[in-house]
Each structure stands twice: as structure tokens, then as C-alpha cells.
Amino acid sequence: MSERSQFLWLFFSLSGRLSPVAYALAGILLVLVQFFPFYQFARVELNSAASQNWAMICWGVLLISAWATFAVTAKRFHDFGKPTYFALISLVIGPILLVILACFRSDPGPNRYGRRTNAPADS
């Protein structure tokens, strides 16, 4: 699998499983990606054209990162053998859930979401 397809699988696909370390690193990356436009928005003068542009970028990043957080969390729950809908709570308590799920070990061996951790589900 190419690096680009791995990136797209990690952040946008709902299939497969994810280990605690990969989940934590993906979560940290998502937090940093969310932080950058908010930081830039805070730096510019309020009600300027730049602030309006950064506000739009913030909304776009927020929407995309919400899906990415959901996808990453769904794969982490798959590693416990739990269904995708468990990841809906990530949209409500994301940062707390990031810490909790990054601290627990996964189910050993294959389960119905895949043969191994950190890989797409078997086709």
C-alpha cells in the first residue's frame, strides 16, 4: 500500500483496526492540524479580510478533522471488537476519549474487523 493510500485509509476509511500507539499519534496530529488555523485566526486583526479567511479555514479544518477523528476512533474500537457506532462518542468527548483509548491494549489476534492491527480490513 502506498504512503498516500495509507494516509487516506488512516484518516478517512472506516475499515480495519488501529493500535493504541497509532491511535495516539494520529490523534496528536489531528489536534495539531486543528490548532494551526485557530492560532493563525487569533493572530490577525478581528473583522479583517484575513480574519474572515482564517475563520473559513477553521470551519473547513474542523469539519474534515471531525470525520478523521471519527474514522480513527472507529478503527480503534474495531481493535476491541466493537462496532463503528461506538465511535460516535468521539464527536462529543474527543480529547478525553483519545487519552483513554490510547492507554488500553487491544484484543489479541484476529477479529471480525481484520486479521491484524494497523491495517485495512480484509476484503
Side-chain angles (χ1 to χ4, degrees), residues 12-17 67 69-91 97 101 112-113 121:
F12 298 104
S13 172
L14 295 177
S15 75
R17 298 168 57 179
W67 175 260
T69 299
F70 179 74
V72 168
T73 304
K75 285 189 279 293
R76 184 69 192 116
F77 273 113
H78 289 171
D79 212 30
F80 289 109
K82 303 297 180 206
T84 300
Y85 68 83
F86 274 50
L88 289 173
I89 62 174
S90 71
L91 300 176
L97 189 63
L101 288 178
R112 67 182 177 157
Y113 296 104

mmCIF file of all heavy atoms in Angstrom, residues 12-17 67 69-91 97 101 112-113 121:
data_model
loop_
_atom_site.group_PDB
_atom_site.id
_atom_site.type_symbol
_atom_site.label_atom_id
_atom_site.label_comp_id
_atom_site.label_asym_id
_atom_site.label_seq_id
_atom_site.Cartn_x
_atom_site.Cartn_y
_atom_site.Cartn_z
ATOM 1 N N PHE A 12 -9.566 8.518 6.751
ATOM 2 C CA PHE A 12 -10.868 8.668 6.106
ATOM 3 C C PHE A 12 -11.654 7.371 5.922
ATOM 4 O O PHE A 12 -12.830 7.418 5.606
ATOM 5 C CB PHE A 12 -10.706 9.392 4.763
ATOM 6 C CG PHE A 12 -10.155 10.774 4.945
ATOM 7 C CD1 PHE A 12 -8.837 11.062 4.653
ATOM 8 C CD2 PHE A 12 -10.952 11.791 5.449
ATOM 9 C CE1 PHE A 12 -8.319 12.331 4.839
ATOM 10 C CE2 PHE A 12 -10.444 13.066 5.638
ATOM 11 C CZ PHE A 12 -9.126 13.333 5.338
ATOM 12 N N SER A 13 -11.036 6.234 6.122
ATOM 13 C CA SER A 13 -11.730 4.952 5.962
ATOM 14 C C SER A 13 -12.238 4.452 7.309
ATOM 15 O O SER A 13 -11.637 4.707 8.348
ATOM 16 C CB SER A 13 -10.760 3.921 5.380
ATOM 17 O OG SER A 13 -11.337 2.638 5.393
ATOM 18 N N LEU A 14 -13.348 3.725 7.271
ATOM 19 C CA LEU A 14 -13.901 3.148 8.495
ATOM 20 C C LEU A 14 -13.553 1.668 8.641
ATOM 21 O O LEU A 14 -13.990 1.030 9.584
ATOM 22 C CB LEU A 14 -15.420 3.319 8.526
ATOM 23 C CG LEU A 14 -15.933 4.751 8.600
ATOM 24 C CD1 LEU A 14 -17.450 4.769 8.559
ATOM 25 C CD2 LEU A 14 -15.417 5.458 9.839
ATOM 26 N N SER A 15 -12.777 1.109 7.730
ATOM 27 C CA SER A 15 -12.456 -0.314 7.805
ATOM 28 C C SER A 15 -11.099 -0.543 8.459
ATOM 29 O O SER A 15 -10.218 0.315 8.397
ATOM 30 C CB SER A 15 -12.448 -0.936 6.411
ATOM 31 O OG SER A 15 -11.285 -0.558 5.713
ATOM 32 N N GLY A 16 -10.950 -1.679 9.104
ATOM 33 C CA GLY A 16 -9.679 -2.066 9.673
ATOM 34 C C GLY A 16 -9.590 -1.790 11.164
ATOM 35 O O GLY A 16 -10.575 -1.466 11.825
ATOM 36 N N ARG A 17 -8.374 -1.937 11.670
ATOM 37 C CA ARG A 17 -8.103 -1.816 13.098
ATOM 38 C C ARG A 17 -6.909 -0.897 13.309
ATOM 39 O O ARG A 17 -6.117 -0.682 12.409
ATOM 40 C CB ARG A 17 -7.771 -3.197 13.666
ATOM 41 C CG ARG A 17 -8.901 -4.183 13.535
ATOM 42 C CD ARG A 17 -8.478 -5.592 13.829
ATOM 43 N NE ARG A 17 -7.892 -5.727 15.160
ATOM 44 C CZ ARG A 17 -7.456 -6.877 15.656
ATOM 45 N NH1 ARG A 17 -7.554 -7.977 14.954
ATOM 46 N NH2 ARG A 17 -6.939 -6.921 16.865
ATOM 47 N N TRP A 67 -14.501 14.271 10.898
ATOM 48 C CA TRP A 67 -14.630 12.976 10.225
ATOM 49 C C TRP A 67 -13.384 12.119 10.472
ATOM 50 O O TRP A 67 -13.494 10.922 10.753
ATOM 51 C CB TRP A 67 -14.853 13.126 8.728
ATOM 52 C CG TRP A 67 -14.854 11.770 8.093
ATOM 53 C CD1 TRP A 67 -13.829 11.176 7.418
ATOM 54 C CD2 TRP A 67 -15.904 10.806 8.144
ATOM 55 N NE1 TRP A 67 -14.191 9.911 7.042
ATOM 56 C CE2 TRP A 67 -15.462 9.656 7.481
ATOM 57 C CE3 TRP A 67 -17.179 10.811 8.703
ATOM 58 C CZ2 TRP A 67 -16.251 8.520 7.347
ATOM 59 C CZ3 TRP A 67 -17.960 9.673 8.565
ATOM 60 C CH2 TRP A 67 -17.492 8.547 7.896
ATOM 61 N N THR A 69 -11.312 12.181 12.953
ATOM 62 C CA THR A 69 -11.345 11.707 14.337
ATOM 63 C C THR A 69 -12.314 10.543 14.465
ATOM 64 O O THR A 69 -12.009 9.539 15.118
ATOM 65 C CB THR A 69 -11.763 12.846 15.282
ATOM 66 O OG1 THR A 69 -10.803 13.902 15.185
ATOM 67 C CG2 THR A 69 -11.862 12.373 16.718
ATOM 68 N N PHE A 70 -13.464 10.661 13.829
ATOM 69 C CA PHE A 70 -14.444 9.583 13.856
ATOM 70 C C PHE A 70 -13.881 8.311 13.219
ATOM 71 O O PHE A 70 -14.011 7.220 13.762
ATOM 72 C CB PHE A 70 -15.724 10.026 13.140
ATOM 73 C CG PHE A 70 -16.779 8.976 13.085
ATOM 74 C CD1 PHE A 70 -17.502 8.643 14.216
ATOM 75 C CD2 PHE A 70 -17.047 8.313 11.903
ATOM 76 C CE1 PHE A 70 -18.489 7.664 14.170
ATOM 77 C CE2 PHE A 70 -18.028 7.336 11.848
ATOM 78 C CZ PHE A 70 -18.749 7.013 12.986
ATOM 79 N N ALA A 71 -13.224 8.446 12.062
ATOM 80 C CA ALA A 71 -12.671 7.287 11.347
ATOM 81 C C ALA A 71 -11.566 6.608 12.151
ATOM 82 O O ALA A 71 -11.522 5.382 12.267
ATOM 83 C CB ALA A 71 -12.145 7.721 9.980
ATOM 84 N N VAL A 72 -10.672 7.398 12.722
ATOM 85 C CA VAL A 72 -9.573 6.845 13.517
ATOM 86 C C VAL A 72 -10.123 6.146 14.759
ATOM 87 O O VAL A 72 -9.693 5.052 15.130
ATOM 88 C CB VAL A 72 -8.573 7.968 13.887
ATOM 89 C CG1 VAL A 72 -7.582 7.531 14.941
ATOM 90 C CG2 VAL A 72 -7.837 8.449 12.648
ATOM 91 N N THR A 73 -11.089 6.763 15.396
ATOM 92 C CA THR A 73 -11.679 6.186 16.609
ATOM 93 C C THR A 73 -12.471 4.925 16.283
ATOM 94 O O THR A 73 -12.439 3.959 17.053
ATOM 95 C CB THR A 73 -12.559 7.222 17.320
ATOM 96 O OG1 THR A 73 -11.769 8.387 17.585
ATOM 97 C CG2 THR A 73 -13.098 6.690 18.630
ATOM 98 N N ALA A 74 -13.145 4.902 15.152
ATOM 99 C CA ALA A 74 -13.872 3.692 14.742
ATOM 100 C C ALA A 74 -12.902 2.530 14.590
ATOM 101 O O ALA A 74 -13.169 1.415 15.064
ATOM 102 C CB ALA A 74 -14.622 3.949 13.438
ATOM 103 N N LYS A 75 -11.760 2.779 13.946
ATOM 104 C CA LYS A 75 -10.762 1.720 13.793
ATOM 105 C C LYS A 75 -10.187 1.283 15.135
ATOM 106 O O LYS A 75 -9.890 0.113 15.340
ATOM 107 C CB LYS A 75 -9.654 2.172 12.849
ATOM 108 C CG LYS A 75 -10.084 2.160 11.394
ATOM 109 C CD LYS A 75 -8.942 2.399 10.454
ATOM 110 C CE LYS A 75 -8.561 3.818 10.295
ATOM 111 N NZ LYS A 75 -9.523 4.677 9.642
ATOM 112 N N ARG A 76 -10.054 2.220 16.059
ATOM 113 C CA ARG A 76 -9.562 1.846 17.397
ATOM 114 C C ARG A 76 -10.586 0.965 18.106
ATOM 115 O O ARG A 76 -10.231 -0.027 18.733
ATOM 116 C CB ARG A 76 -9.263 3.108 18.219
ATOM 117 C CG ARG A 76 -8.671 2.830 19.560
ATOM 118 C CD ARG A 76 -7.245 2.284 19.445
ATOM 119 N NE ARG A 76 -6.828 1.778 20.732
ATOM 120 C CZ ARG A 76 -6.537 0.511 20.990
ATOM 121 N NH1 ARG A 76 -6.551 -0.376 20.028
ATOM 122 N NH2 ARG A 76 -6.204 0.126 22.187
ATOM 123 N N PHE A 77 -11.861 1.313 18.005
ATOM 124 C CA PHE A 77 -12.900 0.469 18.599
ATOM 125 C C PHE A 77 -12.955 -0.892 17.907
ATOM 126 O O PHE A 77 -13.219 -1.903 18.553
ATOM 127 C CB PHE A 77 -14.270 1.153 18.546
ATOM 128 C CG PHE A 77 -14.530 2.047 19.714
ATOM 129 C CD1 PHE A 77 -14.639 3.415 19.558
ATOM 130 C CD2 PHE A 77 -14.657 1.522 20.996
ATOM 131 C CE1 PHE A 77 -14.872 4.244 20.644
ATOM 132 C CE2 PHE A 77 -14.898 2.343 22.092
ATOM 133 C CZ PHE A 77 -15.004 3.709 21.916
ATOM 134 N N HIS A 78 -12.695 -0.935 16.600
ATOM 135 C CA HIS A 78 -12.649 -2.216 15.900
ATOM 136 C C HIS A 78 -11.563 -3.110 16.502
ATOM 137 O O HIS A 78 -11.717 -4.330 16.530
ATOM 138 C CB HIS A 78 -12.355 -2.010 14.414
ATOM 139 C CG HIS A 78 -13.478 -1.403 13.657
ATOM 140 N ND1 HIS A 78 -13.335 -0.973 12.361
ATOM 141 C CD2 HIS A 78 -14.760 -1.137 14.003
ATOM 142 C CE1 HIS A 78 -14.484 -0.475 11.933
ATOM 143 N NE2 HIS A 78 -15.367 -0.559 12.920
ATOM 144 N N ASP A 79 -10.476 -2.503 16.969
ATOM 145 C CA ASP A 79 -9.395 -3.279 17.570
ATOM 146 C C ASP A 79 -9.847 -3.950 18.868
ATOM 147 O O ASP A 79 -9.253 -4.927 19.302
ATOM 148 C CB ASP A 79 -8.172 -2.384 17.819
ATOM 149 C CG ASP A 79 -6.869 -3.141 17.678
ATOM 150 O OD1 ASP A 79 -6.825 -4.109 16.889
ATOM 151 O OD2 ASP A 79 -5.902 -2.783 18.356
ATOM 152 N N PHE A 80 -10.895 -3.424 19.480
ATOM 153 C CA PHE A 80 -11.500 -4.042 20.671
ATOM 154 C C PHE A 80 -12.624 -4.988 20.280
ATOM 155 O O PHE A 80 -13.278 -5.572 21.142
ATOM 156 C CB PHE A 80 -12.092 -2.976 21.601
ATOM 157 C CG PHE A 80 -11.074 -2.144 22.308
ATOM 158 C CD1 PHE A 80 -10.894 -0.815 21.965
ATOM 159 C CD2 PHE A 80 -10.300 -2.675 23.327
ATOM 160 C CE1 PHE A 80 -9.963 -0.035 22.621
ATOM 161 C CE2 PHE A 80 -9.371 -1.899 23.993
ATOM 162 C CZ PHE A 80 -9.198 -0.581 23.637
ATOM 163 N N GLY A 81 -12.927 -5.084 18.963
ATOM 164 C CA GLY A 81 -14.023 -5.917 18.509
ATOM 165 C C GLY A 81 -15.382 -5.245 18.625
ATOM 166 O O GLY A 81 -16.408 -5.901 18.579
ATOM 167 N N LYS A 82 -15.386 -3.921 18.766
ATOM 168 C CA LYS A 82 -16.631 -3.157 18.918
ATOM 169 C C LYS A 82 -17.031 -2.530 17.581
ATOM 170 O O LYS A 82 -16.185 -2.187 16.769
ATOM 171 C CB LYS A 82 -16.478 -2.058 19.973
ATOM 172 C CG LYS A 82 -16.046 -2.549 21.336
ATOM 173 C CD LYS A 82 -17.067 -3.469 21.931
ATOM 174 C CE LYS A 82 -16.616 -3.947 23.301
ATOM 175 N NZ LYS A 82 -17.176 -5.208 23.681
ATOM 176 N N PRO A 83 -18.330 -2.312 17.355
ATOM 177 C CA PRO A 83 -18.786 -1.755 16.077
ATOM 178 C C PRO A 83 -18.481 -0.261 15.925
ATOM 179 O O PRO A 83 -18.185 0.438 16.893
ATOM 180 C CB PRO A 83 -20.295 -1.999 16.102
ATOM 181 C CG PRO A 83 -20.648 -2.173 17.527
ATOM 182 C CD PRO A 83 -19.432 -2.700 18.229
ATOM 183 N N THR A 84 -18.619 0.200 14.692
ATOM 184 C CA THR A 84 -18.294 1.581 14.331
ATOM 185 C C THR A 84 -19.099 2.603 15.122
ATOM 186 O O THR A 84 -18.572 3.652 15.489
ATOM 187 C CB THR A 84 -18.528 1.788 12.824
ATOM 188 O OG1 THR A 84 -17.693 0.883 12.107
ATOM 189 C CG2 THR A 84 -18.211 3.199 12.399
ATOM 190 N N TYR A 85 -20.359 2.320 15.391
ATOM 191 C CA TYR A 85 -21.187 3.339 16.041
ATOM 192 C C TYR A 85 -20.690 3.717 17.436
ATOM 193 O O TYR A 85 -21.056 4.769 17.950
ATOM 194 C CB TYR A 85 -22.667 2.951 16.060
ATOM 195 C CG TYR A 85 -23.035 1.781 16.930
ATOM 196 C CD1 TYR A 85 -23.243 1.941 18.290
ATOM 197 C CD2 TYR A 85 -23.194 0.520 16.390
ATOM 198 C CE1 TYR A 85 -23.584 0.869 19.084
ATOM 199 C CE2 TYR A 85 -23.534 -0.556 17.172
ATOM 200 C CZ TYR A 85 -23.730 -0.378 18.519
ATOM 201 O OH TYR A 85 -24.064 -1.433 19.305
ATOM 202 N N PHE A 86 -19.839 2.904 18.049
ATOM 203 C CA PHE A 86 -19.239 3.292 19.320
ATOM 204 C C PHE A 86 -18.411 4.573 19.161
ATOM 205 O O PHE A 86 -18.230 5.326 20.110
ATOM 206 C CB PHE A 86 -18.339 2.182 19.860
ATOM 207 C CG PHE A 86 -19.048 1.141 20.675
ATOM 208 C CD1 PHE A 86 -20.190 0.509 20.215
ATOM 209 C CD2 PHE A 86 -18.557 0.774 21.912
ATOM 210 C CE1 PHE A 86 -20.833 -0.454 20.959
ATOM 211 C CE2 PHE A 86 -19.188 -0.193 22.671
ATOM 212 C CZ PHE A 86 -20.338 -0.801 22.185
ATOM 213 N N ALA A 87 -17.894 4.810 17.963
ATOM 214 C CA ALA A 87 -17.047 5.978 17.714
ATOM 215 C C ALA A 87 -17.839 7.281 17.717
ATOM 216 O O ALA A 87 -17.241 8.361 17.744
ATOM 217 C CB ALA A 87 -16.307 5.821 16.395
ATOM 218 N N LEU A 88 -19.159 7.224 17.704
ATOM 219 C CA LEU A 88 -19.955 8.456 17.744
ATOM 220 C C LEU A 88 -19.659 9.271 18.999
ATOM 221 O O LEU A 88 -19.721 10.503 18.965
ATOM 222 C CB LEU A 88 -21.446 8.136 17.666
ATOM 223 C CG LEU A 88 -21.943 7.645 16.317
ATOM 224 C CD1 LEU A 88 -23.396 7.197 16.418
ATOM 225 C CD2 LEU A 88 -21.778 8.723 15.271
ATOM 226 N N ILE A 89 -19.309 8.594 20.080
ATOM 227 C CA ILE A 89 -18.996 9.345 21.302
ATOM 228 C C ILE A 89 -17.732 10.183 21.147
ATOM 229 O O ILE A 89 -17.547 11.155 21.862
ATOM 230 C CB ILE A 89 -18.888 8.432 22.542
ATOM 231 C CG1 ILE A 89 -17.771 7.419 22.392
ATOM 232 C CG2 ILE A 89 -20.194 7.761 22.841
ATOM 233 C CD1 ILE A 89 -17.520 6.581 23.627
ATOM 234 N N SER A 90 -16.880 9.840 20.154
ATOM 235 C CA SER A 90 -15.667 10.632 19.938
ATOM 236 C C SER A 90 -15.993 12.051 19.496
ATOM 237 O O SER A 90 -15.212 12.964 19.722
ATOM 238 C CB SER A 90 -14.761 9.968 18.908
ATOM 239 O OG SER A 90 -15.319 10.068 17.617
ATOM 240 N N LEU A 91 -17.132 12.231 18.863
ATOM 241 C CA LEU A 91 -17.518 13.568 18.418
ATOM 242 C C LEU A 91 -17.935 14.447 19.587
ATOM 243 O O LEU A 91 -17.949 15.664 19.480
ATOM 244 C CB LEU A 91 -18.640 13.478 17.390
ATOM 245 C CG LEU A 91 -18.288 12.695 16.123
ATOM 246 C CD1 LEU A 91 -19.505 12.578 15.230
ATOM 247 C CD2 LEU A 91 -17.128 13.337 15.395
ATOM 248 N N LEU A 97 -11.514 10.876 25.210
ATOM 249 C CA LEU A 97 -11.506 9.551 24.621
ATOM 250 C C LEU A 97 -10.148 9.219 24.024
ATOM 251 O O LEU A 97 -9.698 8.068 24.101
ATOM 252 C CB LEU A 97 -12.597 9.456 23.555
ATOM 253 C CG LEU A 97 -12.878 8.092 22.982
ATOM 254 C CD1 LEU A 97 -13.387 7.152 24.091
ATOM 255 C CD2 LEU A 97 -13.902 8.192 21.884
ATOM 256 N N LEU A 101 -8.487 5.705 25.128
ATOM 257 C CA LEU A 101 -8.269 4.625 24.169
ATOM 258 C C LEU A 101 -6.802 4.392 23.852
ATOM 259 O O LEU A 101 -6.418 3.298 23.457
ATOM 260 C CB LEU A 101 -9.035 4.892 22.877
ATOM 261 C CG LEU A 101 -10.541 4.743 22.957
ATOM 262 C CD1 LEU A 101 -11.181 5.080 21.626
ATOM 263 C CD2 LEU A 101 -10.935 3.348 23.399
ATOM 264 N N ARG A 112 -13.447 -9.789 13.836
ATOM 265 C CA ARG A 112 -14.270 -9.622 12.634
ATOM 266 C C ARG A 112 -13.942 -8.360 11.842
ATOM 267 O O ARG A 112 -14.427 -8.187 10.728
ATOM 268 C CB ARG A 112 -15.745 -9.650 12.992
ATOM 269 C CG ARG A 112 -16.203 -8.484 13.828
ATOM 270 C CD ARG A 112 -17.663 -8.630 14.174
ATOM 271 N NE ARG A 112 -18.065 -7.540 15.030
ATOM 272 C CZ ARG A 112 -19.296 -7.137 15.156
ATOM 273 N NH1 ARG A 112 -20.256 -7.747 14.491
ATOM 274 N NH2 ARG A 112 -19.599 -6.147 15.961
ATOM 275 N N TYR A 113 -13.087 -7.472 12.381
ATOM 276 C CA TYR A 113 -12.722 -6.242 11.680
ATOM 277 C C TYR A 113 -11.365 -6.342 10.990
ATOM 278 O O TYR A 113 -10.937 -5.396 10.347
ATOM 279 C CB TYR A 113 -12.736 -5.054 12.639
ATOM 280 C CG TYR A 113 -14.124 -4.802 13.178
ATOM 281 C CD1 TYR A 113 -14.470 -5.169 14.466
ATOM 282 C CD2 TYR A 113 -15.094 -4.216 12.377
ATOM 283 C CE1 TYR A 113 -15.744 -4.954 14.952
ATOM 284 C CE2 TYR A 113 -16.369 -4.005 12.849
ATOM 285 C CZ TYR A 113 -16.695 -4.370 14.131
ATOM 286 O OH TYR A 113 -17.959 -4.161 14.601
ATOM 287 N N ALA A 121 -9.157 -3.652 6.763
ATOM 288 C CA ALA A 121 -9.861 -4.922 6.928
ATOM 289 C C ALA A 121 -9.634 -5.768 5.678
ATOM 290 O O ALA A 121 -9.413 -5.258 4.583
ATOM 291 C CB ALA A 121 -11.354 -4.681 7.139
#
